[in-house]
Amino acid sequence: MDKALGDKIPEFNKKPGGGGNVGLSGASFSLGDHRTKFEVFVIILVAVIIIGGAEWLIYAFKVPQYVLPRPSQIAYALVTEFPNLWPHVKITLFELFVGFGIGASIGFVLAAVITQFPFVEKVVTPYILLLVTTPMLALVPLLILRFGFGSEPRIIAVALASGPMVMINSATGFRRVDLAKIALAKSFGASTLQIFTKIRIPMAMPMIIVGLMVGSIFGLLTTVGAEMVGGAEGLGNRLTYYSALIRMPQFFAIILILAILGISIYVFFFWLGKKWASWEA
């Protein structure tokens, strides 16, 4: 049974000696639980060398600002333009949170259903694969024709992009539950709902959190892309706007904001994994 069910699931290691690795389809992400002062110093030093080297090289070779701005110009644009960008940041976050919330909820429910009813899985799987392999940005113009230029088309696109990621990872986690524990619970008279809430969900939590992490990052990318395709607000729209005006410092300032949002999503779900799924360590 261990061999059949023993595929390694993600680990959110809470031990100081652990690396905090999270495995997903053979890939790994790591975020150390603690770092020495030397490691922190090296990280900061590498960042200073990269940023300082880019600043000097761009200045020394006289690269035009409209081709590639210096890091100092990007930082200045971020500080000066941030009051104007903040309303667009809020719109992007609103569309991301609402769309991801809808998609993740539906994905989680579908994962629970197909785990309990294999026939439903056979019916639903082709459509889920269709959603996974279809770029949601291609549907945005059609959604705009139906729902207008408001936030609704982008929210729907985010839900369609993030939901399958949550469903696939959650269903995988539900299936990897030790069958011996389920048999033991049944022998004590546990109902299907009790088995699901007391055994399947806690033991599948690492995979569920990874699905939420991947789904939210997919959602962020879809949000920005949908705003670039259609819409008058949001960070994606500002990217198109500044690119058309060849205002590259402002353009890269938005890229920096999006990078910070993506890293924040990863750190949040990693912290959530350590808090709720540290038993796997």
Side-chain angles (χ1 to χ4, degrees):
M1 183 177 295
D2 289 341
K3 185 175 181 180
L5 302 174
D7 293 339
K8 185 173 178 60
I9 60 179
E11 291 184 0
F12 296 88
N13 200 336
K14 208 170 185 178
K15 296 179 180 179
N21 293 328
V22 182
L24 178 62
S25 301
S28 63
F29 309 92
S30 63
L31 185 65
D33 294 304
H34 78 292
R35 299 185 186 278
T36 65
K37 292 182 179 179
F38 177 73
E39 290 173 334
V40 173
F41 171 76
V42 171
I43 292 172
I44 296 175
L45 179 63
V46 171
V48 170
I49 291 175
I50 293 175
I51 296 173
E55 179 83 19
W56 181 83
L57 288 173
I58 295 173
Y59 178 81
F61 287 95
K62 296 182 172 55
V63 179
Q65 176 179 302
Y66 59 84
V67 175
L68 185 63
R70 300 196 302 272
S72 59
Q73 294 172 327
I74 297 173
Y76 179 78
L78 178 62
V79 173
T80 56
E81 289 289 327
F82 192 77
N84 298 326
L85 293 176
W86 176 241
H88 298 279
V89 173
K90 291 192 293 184
I91 291 171
T92 298
L93 290 177
F94 170 76
E95 294 169 351
L96 171 62
F97 290 153
V98 174
F100 173 71
I102 295 172
S105 300
I106 296 175
F108 183 82
V109 172
L110 282 177
V113 171
I114 67 174
T115 302
Q116 298 296 323
F117 304 100
F119 173 76
V120 177
E121 179 181 10
K122 295 178 181 179
V123 176
V124 172
T125 298
Y127 301 101
I128 297 300
L129 293 176
L130 183 65
L131 288 176
V132 172
T133 56
T134 301
M136 290 300 107
L137 297 182
L139 302 179
V140 173
L142 296 177
L143 293 173
I144 290 175
L145 290 176
R146 175 61 181 84
F147 298 99
F149 286 91
S151 296
E152 291 84 358
R154 297 185 285 277
I155 290 175
I156 295 173
V158 173
L160 292 175
S162 59
M165 299 295 108
V166 177
M167 194 213 77
I168 292 172
N169 284 275
S170 299
T172 302
F174 292 148
R175 291 194 187 96
R176 288 178 175 175
V177 174
D178 190 347
L179 298 181
K181 293 182 174 62
I182 296 178
L184 180 62
K186 288 182 177 180
S187 68
F188 280 95
S191 64
T192 301
L193 180 61
Q194 288 175 323
I195 292 173
F196 190 79
T197 56
K198 301 292 185 180
I199 298 178
R200 286 193 182 275
I201 291 180
M203 296 196 68
M205 191 58 67
M207 285 300 299
I208 294 173
I209 293 176
V210 170
L212 293 173
M213 180 193 298
V214 176
S216 59
I217 294 176
F218 267 71
L220 177 62
L221 298 177
T222 304
T223 303
V224 176
E227 290 171 346
M228 295 178 70
V229 172
E233 298 173 314
L235 293 178
N237 173 266
R238 293 297 89 186
L239 282 175
T240 305
Y241 174 77
Y242 288 130
S243 176
L245 297 179
I246 320 181
R247 296 172 62 178
M248 290 298 105
Q250 290 79 3
F251 180 88
F252 280 97
I254 297 176
I255 296 295
L256 181 59
I257 293 174
L258 293 174
I260 293 172
L261 290 178
I263 294 173
S264 301
I265 289 173
Y266 173 80
V267 171
F268 170 75
F269 281 110
F270 191 89
W271 169 82
L272 201 65
K274 289 172 62 179
K275 185 178 181 63
W276 288 359
S278 60
W279 59 265
E280 182 58 23

